[in-house]
Amino acid sequence: MTGKTFAELLEETTENSRLMDAPLNARLKSVANEVERLSPEFAAVVGRMVARLEASEVGQSAPQVGEPMPDFILPDERGALVRLESLLEQGPVVVSFHRGHWCPYCKLNADGLARIVPEIRRRGAQIVAISPETHHYGAELKSYARAAFPVLSDIDNGYALELNLLFWVGDEKRAAMKAGGFDIAPYQGNDTWMLPIPATFVVGRDGLVKARYIDPDYRRRMELDDIVAAVAALDAGDETAPSRRRLSAS
């Protein structure tokens, strides 16, 4: 490895993956492959953490398809309060949880979501991203993705906890992240080392979950075409939009 930190090397990989003409999860996989190449030890730590979360079925009890999506009132990257109930008065909402602006996979996911905004809006829906970071760093994620949607701050992970998406990183993963240049405490304004499982919910105007994707392996996300299809099903009046839930590695 060069004199650059692990985090700095992954920034370069993230930019290369961003430019790929490929589905989102193929771009994410290219980053995961580079992590394995650069540091098999770090990749092994990730694998053990994911296995722990899968064994504990973390996220399994998050709102299911057909269940109400709990309301939220969260500040956006400018500090303005945003309420889910108010957003739903305008149309369906795609709610996407991110770990933070520092996460290569979240950056690519936010970038991908930004690319489908025109199609989502054409269907009468909108996107909101949620992360546990303070609004300053939410603004950095939004700027990176050039996103035309708000990035909301779930400070201290209160909303993620309500949705049963919250987990503790663990001592081993925390040590590996800090050694690699990923000290998330300043970004979150606390030293809890708690993160949400990246998850995506498509919520209908009636406040019910129409589709969802939850995966303890943060290296995978809901494919963009699936999000568009779920919103399109609502636009067409089909209330049986697809549901995705992954709890095992592929």
Side-chain angles (χ1 to χ4, degrees):
M1 196 176 291
T2 69
K4 296 181 180 179
T5 67
F6 185 53
E8 289 170 337
L9 291 171
L10 284 187
E11 279 188 29
E12 297 175 1
T13 299
T14 302
E15 285 307 300
N16 291 335
S17 299
R18 186 184 195 182
L19 298 175
M20 290 174 59
D21 181 14
L24 174 60
N25 279 289
R27 284 180 266 148
L28 298 175
K29 180 63 174 174
S30 71
V31 175
N33 289 342
E34 186 65 4
V35 170
E36 176 71 36
R37 187 188 72 82
L38 290 172
S39 178
E41 297 82 5
F42 188 92
V45 171
V46 171
R48 286 192 289 271
M49 186 194 75
V50 170
R52 168 171 62 87
L53 299 179
E54 290 175 345
S56 301
E57 299 188 331
V58 176
Q60 181 178 6
S61 58
Q64 306 282 335
V65 170
E67 294 182 347
M69 187 72 172
D71 194 17
F72 61 68
I73 302 177
L74 298 171
D76 66 12
E77 70 285 343
R78 301 168 300 169
L81 293 178
V82 176
R83 184 171 187 175
L84 177 60
E85 182 179 285
S86 299
L87 297 177
L88 292 173
E89 292 176 357
Q90 305 169 45
V93 179
V94 178
V95 180
S96 180
F97 281 83
H98 294 67
R99 304 193 309 157
H101 81 289
W102 51 270
C103 171
Y105 305 95
C106 292
K107 291 168 71 173
L108 291 175
N109 188 51
D111 175 76
L113 291 173
R115 299 184 191 195
I116 63 172
V117 163
E119 180 67 14
I120 295 299
R121 285 182 172 173
R122 189 174 73 82
R123 300 288 186 176
Q126 56 189 307
I127 297 172
V128 295
I130 298 177
S131 91
E133 299 188 302
T134 62
H135 71 273
H136 171 78
Y137 296 106
E140 289 200 21
L141 180 62
K142 178 168 181 164
S143 176
Y144 172 84
R146 297 187 290 273
F149 54 78
V151 178
L152 310 182
S153 294
D154 183 21
I155 300 301
D156 295 333
N157 284 291
Y159 189 56
L161 177 61
E162 183 179 359
L163 270 57
N164 298 308
L165 293 173
L166 193 61
F167 72 94
W168 179 52
V169 168
D171 288 332
E172 182 184 42
K173 183 64 162 33
R174 175 175 57 187
M177 289 175 66
K178 292 182 75 171
F182 296 104
D183 185 358
I184 65 175
Y187 307 142
Q188 297 186 356
N190 61 56
D191 196 28
T192 62
W193 285 81
M194 303 287 285
L195 287 172
I197 288 181
T200 300
F201 300 86
V202 178
V203 186
R205 293 193 65 168
D206 57 4
L208 301 181
V209 176
K210 306 300 182 180
R212 73 171 202 167
Y213 182 101
I214 298 172
D215 193 338
D217 191 337
Y218 60 80
R219 298 166 293 187
R220 297 190 292 251
R221 307 296 168 97
M222 188 171 187
E223 197 56 74
L224 302 175
D225 287 347
D226 290 341
I227 297 174
V228 172
V231 171
L234 296 179
D235 187 40
D238 181 358
E239 295 298 311
T240 58
S243 171
R244 294 290 183 91
R245 171 180 167 272
R246 294 176 183 246
L247 289 176
S248 59
S250 61

PDB file of all heavy atoms in Angstrom, residues 14-31:
ATOM      1  N   THR A  14     -13.698   4.638  -5.637  1.00  0.00           N
ATOM      2  CA  THR A  14     -15.098   5.068  -5.716  1.00  0.00           C
ATOM      3  C   THR A  14     -15.337   5.899  -6.963  1.00  0.00           C
ATOM      4  O   THR A  14     -16.347   5.724  -7.669  1.00  0.00           O
ATOM      5  CB  THR A  14     -15.477   5.878  -4.465  1.00  0.00           C
ATOM      6  OG1 THR A  14     -15.252   5.084  -3.304  1.00  0.00           O
ATOM      7  CG2 THR A  14     -16.944   6.286  -4.510  1.00  0.00           C
ATOM      8  N   GLU A  15     -14.407   6.802  -7.272  1.00  0.00           N
ATOM      9  CA  GLU A  15     -14.558   7.642  -8.461  1.00  0.00           C
ATOM     10  C   GLU A  15     -14.509   6.805  -9.734  1.00  0.00           C
ATOM     11  O   GLU A  15     -15.276   7.042 -10.673  1.00  0.00           O
ATOM     12  CB  GLU A  15     -13.478   8.719  -8.485  1.00  0.00           C
ATOM     13  CG  GLU A  15     -13.728   9.834  -7.497  1.00  0.00           C
ATOM     14  CD  GLU A  15     -15.118  10.428  -7.657  1.00  0.00           C
ATOM     15  OE1 GLU A  15     -15.437  10.933  -8.751  1.00  0.00           O
ATOM     16  OE2 GLU A  15     -15.904  10.364  -6.698  1.00  0.00           O
ATOM     17  N   ASN A  16     -13.627   5.830  -9.759  1.00  0.00           N
ATOM     18  CA  ASN A  16     -13.557   4.949 -10.930  1.00  0.00           C
ATOM     19  C   ASN A  16     -14.847   4.156 -11.088  1.00  0.00           C
ATOM     20  O   ASN A  16     -15.358   3.973 -12.199  1.00  0.00           O
ATOM     21  CB  ASN A  16     -12.369   3.994 -10.804  1.00  0.00           C
ATOM     22  CG  ASN A  16     -11.030   4.706 -10.914  1.00  0.00           C
ATOM     23  OD1 ASN A  16     -10.934   5.771 -11.522  1.00  0.00           O
ATOM     24  ND2 ASN A  16      -9.999   4.124 -10.315  1.00  0.00           N
ATOM     25  N   SER A  17     -15.388   3.684  -9.973  1.00  0.00           N
ATOM     26  CA  SER A  17     -16.628   2.909 -10.024  1.00  0.00           C
ATOM     27  C   SER A  17     -17.808   3.785 -10.420  1.00  0.00           C
ATOM     28  O   SER A  17     -18.730   3.333 -11.103  1.00  0.00           O
ATOM     29  CB  SER A  17     -16.893   2.266  -8.660  1.00  0.00           C
ATOM     30  OG  SER A  17     -15.851   1.382  -8.304  1.00  0.00           O
ATOM     31  N   ARG A  18     -17.766   5.030 -10.002  1.00  0.00           N
ATOM     32  CA  ARG A  18     -18.838   5.966 -10.342  1.00  0.00           C
ATOM     33  C   ARG A  18     -18.969   6.144 -11.847  1.00  0.00           C
ATOM     34  O   ARG A  18     -20.073   6.354 -12.375  1.00  0.00           O
ATOM     35  CB  ARG A  18     -18.547   7.310  -9.668  1.00  0.00           C
ATOM     36  CG  ARG A  18     -19.637   8.365  -9.789  1.00  0.00           C
ATOM     37  CD  ARG A  18     -19.159   9.659  -9.174  1.00  0.00           C
ATOM     38  NE  ARG A  18     -20.225  10.610  -8.935  1.00  0.00           N
ATOM     39  CZ  ARG A  18     -20.057  11.821  -8.439  1.00  0.00           C
ATOM     40  NH1 ARG A  18     -18.831  12.218  -8.108  1.00  0.00           N
ATOM     41  NH2 ARG A  18     -21.077  12.637  -8.259  1.00  0.00           N
ATOM     42  N   LEU A  19     -17.849   6.052 -12.545  1.00  0.00           N
ATOM     43  CA  LEU A  19     -17.833   6.277 -13.988  1.00  0.00           C
ATOM     44  C   LEU A  19     -18.191   5.035 -14.793  1.00  0.00           C
ATOM     45  O   LEU A  19     -18.331   5.113 -16.024  1.00  0.00           O
ATOM     46  CB  LEU A  19     -16.448   6.777 -14.416  1.00  0.00           C
ATOM     47  CG  LEU A  19     -16.015   8.122 -13.815  1.00  0.00           C
ATOM     48  CD1 LEU A  19     -14.585   8.442 -14.205  1.00  0.00           C
ATOM     49  CD2 LEU A  19     -16.955   9.236 -14.232  1.00  0.00           C
ATOM     50  N   MET A  20     -18.340   3.899 -14.130  1.00  0.00           N
ATOM     51  CA  MET A  20     -18.662   2.662 -14.833  1.00  0.00           C
ATOM     52  C   MET A  20     -20.059   2.719 -15.450  1.00  0.00           C
ATOM     53  O   MET A  20     -20.989   3.252 -14.843  1.00  0.00           O
ATOM     54  CB  MET A  20     -18.602   1.462 -13.865  1.00  0.00           C
ATOM     55  CG  MET A  20     -17.234   1.084 -13.401  1.00  0.00           C
ATOM     56  SD  MET A  20     -17.290  -0.223 -12.117  1.00  0.00           S
ATOM     57  CE  MET A  20     -18.146  -1.546 -13.007  1.00  0.00           C
ATOM     58  N   ASP A  21     -20.193   2.189 -16.647  1.00  0.00           N
ATOM     59  CA  ASP A  21     -21.498   2.058 -17.279  1.00  0.00           C
ATOM     60  C   ASP A  21     -22.041   0.686 -16.902  1.00  0.00           C
ATOM     61  O   ASP A  21     -21.922  -0.288 -17.656  1.00  0.00           O
ATOM     62  CB  ASP A  21     -21.372   2.205 -18.794  1.00  0.00           C
ATOM     63  CG  ASP A  21     -22.729   2.104 -19.503  1.00  0.00           C
ATOM     64  OD1 ASP A  21     -23.758   2.194 -18.803  1.00  0.00           O
ATOM     65  OD2 ASP A  21     -22.740   1.915 -20.733  1.00  0.00           O
ATOM     66  N   ALA A  22     -22.606   0.613 -15.690  1.00  0.00           N
ATOM     67  CA  ALA A  22     -23.028  -0.673 -15.152  1.00  0.00           C
ATOM     68  C   ALA A  22     -24.108  -0.434 -14.099  1.00  0.00           C
ATOM     69  O   ALA A  22     -24.245   0.671 -13.564  1.00  0.00           O
ATOM     70  CB  ALA A  22     -21.837  -1.400 -14.519  1.00  0.00           C
ATOM     71  N   PRO A  23     -24.898  -1.468 -13.775  1.00  0.00           N
ATOM     72  CA  PRO A  23     -25.891  -1.333 -12.711  1.00  0.00           C
ATOM     73  C   PRO A  23     -25.224  -0.953 -11.389  1.00  0.00           C
ATOM     74  O   PRO A  23     -24.025  -1.191 -11.184  1.00  0.00           O
ATOM     75  CB  PRO A  23     -26.527  -2.725 -12.642  1.00  0.00           C
ATOM     76  CG  PRO A  23     -26.305  -3.314 -13.989  1.00  0.00           C
ATOM     77  CD  PRO A  23     -24.962  -2.778 -14.433  1.00  0.00           C
ATOM     78  N   LEU A  24     -26.007  -0.380 -10.495  1.00  0.00           N
ATOM     79  CA  LEU A  24     -25.470   0.093  -9.226  1.00  0.00           C
ATOM     80  C   LEU A  24     -24.707  -0.991  -8.489  1.00  0.00           C
ATOM     81  O   LEU A  24     -23.582  -0.761  -8.013  1.00  0.00           O
ATOM     82  CB  LEU A  24     -26.607   0.625  -8.350  1.00  0.00           C
ATOM     83  CG  LEU A  24     -26.221   1.023  -6.922  1.00  0.00           C
ATOM     84  CD1 LEU A  24     -25.180   2.128  -6.920  1.00  0.00           C
ATOM     85  CD2 LEU A  24     -27.460   1.428  -6.137  1.00  0.00           C
ATOM     86  N   ASN A  25     -25.280  -2.179  -8.368  1.00  0.00           N
ATOM     87  CA  ASN A  25     -24.628  -3.208  -7.565  1.00  0.00           C
ATOM     88  C   ASN A  25     -23.349  -3.730  -8.205  1.00  0.00           C
ATOM     89  O   ASN A  25     -22.474  -4.240  -7.502  1.00  0.00           O
ATOM     90  CB  ASN A  25     -25.603  -4.343  -7.242  1.00  0.00           C
ATOM     91  CG  ASN A  25     -26.499  -3.987  -6.061  1.00  0.00           C
ATOM     92  OD1 ASN A  25     -26.032  -3.928  -4.925  1.00  0.00           O
ATOM     93  ND2 ASN A  25     -27.768  -3.713  -6.332  1.00  0.00           N
ATOM     94  N   ALA A  26     -23.215  -3.593  -9.506  1.00  0.00           N
ATOM     95  CA  ALA A  26     -21.942  -3.933 -10.155  1.00  0.00           C
ATOM     96  C   ALA A  26     -20.882  -2.908  -9.767  1.00  0.00           C
ATOM     97  O   ALA A  26     -19.710  -3.253  -9.531  1.00  0.00           O
ATOM     98  CB  ALA A  26     -22.118  -3.985 -11.664  1.00  0.00           C
ATOM     99  N   ARG A  27     -21.279  -1.638  -9.677  1.00  0.00           N
ATOM    100  CA  ARG A  27     -20.336  -0.597  -9.257  1.00  0.00           C
ATOM    101  C   ARG A  27     -19.935  -0.789  -7.792  1.00  0.00           C
ATOM    102  O   ARG A  27     -18.776  -0.616  -7.417  1.00  0.00           O
ATOM    103  CB  ARG A  27     -20.949   0.785  -9.479  1.00  0.00           C
ATOM    104  CG  ARG A  27     -20.947   1.208 -10.927  1.00  0.00           C
ATOM    105  CD  ARG A  27     -21.551   2.578 -11.117  1.00  0.00           C
ATOM    106  NE  ARG A  27     -22.961   2.486 -11.449  1.00  0.00           N
ATOM    107  CZ  ARG A  27     -23.872   3.381 -11.096  1.00  0.00           C
ATOM    108  NH1 ARG A  27     -23.512   4.419 -10.371  1.00  0.00           N
ATOM    109  NH2 ARG A  27     -25.125   3.239 -11.462  1.00  0.00           N
ATOM    110  N   LEU A  28     -20.908  -1.146  -6.966  1.00  0.00           N
ATOM    111  CA  LEU A  28     -20.607  -1.412  -5.560  1.00  0.00           C
ATOM    112  C   LEU A  28     -19.670  -2.608  -5.417  1.00  0.00           C
ATOM    113  O   LEU A  28     -18.755  -2.599  -4.588  1.00  0.00           O
ATOM    114  CB  LEU A  28     -21.898  -1.666  -4.792  1.00  0.00           C
ATOM    115  CG  LEU A  28     -22.918  -0.522  -4.747  1.00  0.00           C
ATOM    116  CD1 LEU A  28     -24.197  -0.977  -4.051  1.00  0.00           C
ATOM    117  CD2 LEU A  28     -22.342   0.702  -4.058  1.00  0.00           C
ATOM    118  N   LYS A  29     -19.909  -3.625  -6.213  1.00  0.00           N
ATOM    119  CA  LYS A  29     -19.077  -4.831  -6.163  1.00  0.00           C
ATOM    120  C   LYS A  29     -17.633  -4.519  -6.541  1.00  0.00           C
ATOM    121  O   LYS A  29     -16.691  -5.104  -5.980  1.00  0.00           O
ATOM    122  CB  LYS A  29     -19.651  -5.890  -7.103  1.00  0.00           C
ATOM    123  CG  LYS A  29     -18.871  -7.199  -7.146  1.00  0.00           C
ATOM    124  CD  LYS A  29     -18.871  -7.910  -5.803  1.00  0.00           C
ATOM    125  CE  LYS A  29     -18.217  -9.275  -5.910  1.00  0.00           C
ATOM    126  NZ  LYS A  29     -18.067  -9.933  -4.585  1.00  0.00           N
ATOM    127  N   SER A  30     -17.445  -3.584  -7.460  1.00  0.00           N
ATOM    128  CA  SER A  30     -16.076  -3.235  -7.853  1.00  0.00           C
ATOM    129  C   SER A  30     -15.321  -2.614  -6.686  1.00  0.00           C
ATOM    130  O   SER A  30     -14.118  -2.827  -6.525  1.00  0.00           O
ATOM    131  CB  SER A  30     -16.088  -2.286  -9.054  1.00  0.00           C
ATOM    132  OG  SER A  30     -16.550  -0.995  -8.688  1.00  0.00           O
ATOM    133  N   VAL A  31     -16.031  -1.847  -5.844  1.00  0.00           N
ATOM    134  CA  VAL A  31     -15.398  -1.283  -4.652  1.00  0.00           C
ATOM    135  C   VAL A  31     -15.075  -2.394  -3.658  1.00  0.00           C
ATOM    136  O   VAL A  31     -13.977  -2.438  -3.088  1.00  0.00           O
ATOM    137  CB  VAL A  31     -16.304  -0.223  -3.997  1.00  0.00           C
ATOM    138  CG1 VAL A  31     -15.689   0.266  -2.682  1.00  0.00           C
ATOM    139  CG2 VAL A  31     -16.516   0.951  -4.939  1.00  0.00           C
TER     140      VAL A  31
END
